[in-house]
Amino acid sequence: MLDLKMLEVLELRGTHHWVPSAQRLFGGQIIGQALVAAAKSVSDNLYAHSLHCYFVRPGDPTVPVLYQVDRTRDGRSFTVRSVKAIQHGQPILICQASFQVLQPSPLQHQFPMPVVPQPEDLLTVEELIQRYLSQADLTESAKQGLNKLLANEVPIEMKPVSPAHFYRFASGEPRRLFWARARGYIGEGNMKLHCCVAAYVSDYALLGTVLLPYSKYKARFIASLDHAMWFHSTFRSDEWMLYECVSPWAASSRGLVEGRLWRRDGVLAASCSQEGVLRVKPVTENSKL
Ligand SMILES: CCCC/C=C\CCCCCCCC(=O)SCCNC(=O)CCNC(=O)[C@H](O)C(C)(C)COP(=O)(O)OP(=O)(O)OC[C@H]1O[C@@H](n2cnc3c(N)ncnc32)[C@H](O)[C@@H]1OP(=O)(O)O
């Protein structure tokens, strides 16, 4: 999904594999591919440690994306690349990514990982939806909504920690926890690729956290405006990681969300922050999903 075709040394082309029902490109795909483009222009001893992106236009799923990379700076420790994702001759995403050589330090701390059930004790999104679909009292529109979610073949496997809350069947605090991993096998060794995949995963279900306290409203328009991410340690994006999403603020048709990706051994692997635009409308009785 993140494979890019090299057109020139600093020009690459990406295509689309999974497009959300909103029929605009998935932000995570554009970020992940932009990071791939940046990573291809730095040497093997450099590791991605952060990226900062603005989504300036919706991505068009009917045409490929051109990634233009600028070698902004090559330093002794840090190297910065600027990437423009372009469609129809105009930028859809501007991204800056920074890479560092490995530099161990005695300064080391992190928050503790939340205590949650292990992935083996939880159901996948698909198993949960099948379970909901077998309920006799389901309205036709709820059935349709669930079938739409089931048909949505996302390349990420997910296991919600609190399913009712994950699916907004009940209002709750703006915090969402789920185990996630890329579908398929990536293997050890290519840390840059694991960061690109984590960037892809990090945009899914993140912004929706803002809506969790508002079960009386549903999204009329929702899109991420910017996305920043920091990579803290080595990890495997094809192994279960706990994704903790928290929204500390929402107002003015915008919401802020912070995400933390935890390795299952408790190591904080990556953090991200995103602001998005959310325009809502009241939920009518038969359109909960
Ligand atoms: C339980 C978990 C299940 C999860 C299930 C599925 C999840 C799957 C999907 C996950 C998606 C994750 C998030 C994303 O990936 S979003 C994609 C990445 N981000 C983007 O594509 C955003 C790109 N940027 C933009 O599109 C623009 O910058 C913008 C944010 C739209 C800018 O807005 P604006 O300046 O207003 O631009 P404009 O062209 O003027 O307007 C666009 C559009 O909005 C209407 N509009 C503008 N202002 C208002 C207003 N105040 N009130 C109402 N509507 C407004 C405007 O009329 C335009 O509408 P259209 O004409 O219909 O286009």
Side-chain angles (χ1 to χ4, degrees):
M1 301 230 159
L2 300 178
D3 257 359
L4 299 181
K5 186 171 168 51
M6 184 88 86
L7 306 175
E8 294 282 339
V9 182
L10 297 173
E11 277 202 356
L12 303 97
R13 188 171 60 209
T15 48
H16 329 304
H17 303 270
W18 173 75
V19 176
S21 53
Q23 288 309 307
R24 59 169 59 214
L25 287 183
F26 172 46
Q29 176 191 293
I30 317 171
I31 308 170
Q33 291 187 344
L35 189 57
V36 169
K40 281 193 188 291
S41 74
V42 304
S43 56
D44 287 348
N45 65 331
L46 289 164
Y47 293 85
H49 73 90
S50 74
L51 58 86
H52 295 259
C53 303
Y54 275 101
F55 295 99
V56 291
R57 285 185 183 81
D60 176 356
T62 64
V63 293
V65 180
L66 176 70
Y67 294 91
Q68 280 179 347
V69 182
D70 179 61
R71 294 178 183 273
T72 308
R73 180 173 185 264
D74 284 44
R76 193 154 72 93
S77 298
F78 293 94
T79 286
V80 179
R81 295 289 180 260
S82 306
V83 184
K84 237 188 247 173
I86 297 171
Q87 284 186 315
H88 305 294
Q90 293 192 299
I92 58 167
L93 173 99
I94 43 183
C95 171
Q96 247 126 39
S98 184
F99 300 81
Q100 186 194 16
V101 292
L102 277 185
Q103 288 173 330
S105 160
L107 307 183
Q108 279 193 42
H109 69 264
Q110 63 157 72
F111 282 178
M113 175 170 149
V115 179
V116 297
Q118 291 301 300
E120 290 72 20
D121 301 326
L122 295 167
L123 298 178
T124 63
V125 158
E126 291 75 18
E127 288 164 341
L128 282 165
I129 294 177
Q130 292 291 6
R131 188 171 276 200
Y132 292 138
L133 279 170
S134 66
Q135 285 171 7
D137 57 345
L138 213 59
T139 65
E140 203 42 48
S141 97
K143 242 186 237 169
Q144 273 177 16
L146 287 168
N147 277 316
K148 222 161 107 183
L149 278 179
L150 205 56
N152 209 356
E153 285 175 356
V154 191
I156 311 164
E157 215 175 335
M158 283 173 283
K159 293 194 170 194
V161 167
S162 167
H165 191 218
F166 186 82
Y167 287 112
R168 299 181 64 223
F169 289 143
S171 287
E173 57 170 351
R175 183 166 180 253
R176 185 180 252 166
L177 289 153
F178 58 98
W179 292 95
R181 67 179 175 192
R183 290 191 196 276
Y185 176 81
I186 299 173
E188 253 176 279
N190 191 344
M191 201 47 226
K192 281 201 191 91
L193 181 58
H194 284 296
C195 290
C196 297
V197 174
Y200 182 107
V201 171
S202 70
D203 193 30
Y204 191 87
L206 180 63
L207 193 52
T209 309
V210 175
L211 295 170
L212 295 181
Y214 310 101
S215 59
K216 291 196 163 54
Y217 291 90
K218 64 190 266 184
R220 180 165 62 77
F221 181 83
I222 174 164
S224 30
L225 292 169
D226 61 10
H227 191 97
M229 191 153 187
W230 296 268
F231 301 101
H232 310 306
S233 76
T234 55
F235 60 89
R236 290 227 356 215
S237 53
D238 56 348
E239 289 183 348
W240 288 118
M241 293 208 286
L242 181 68
Y243 197 15
E244 179 189 15
C245 307
V246 185
S247 173
W249 173 89
S252 307
S253 299
R254 303 193 321 275
L256 181 68
V257 201
E258 293 162 356
R260 283 193 271 272
L261 265 175
W262 302 90
R263 269 182 6 199
R264 67 184 296 179
D265 63 359
V267 170
L268 183 59
S271 311
C272 63
S273 281
Q274 179 174 103
E275 195 180 36
V277 53
L278 300 110
R279 297 188 182 117
V280 295
K281 60 183 178 188
V283 174
T284 52
E285 234 348 271
N286 52 4
S287 68
K288 283 234 156 87
L289 282 169

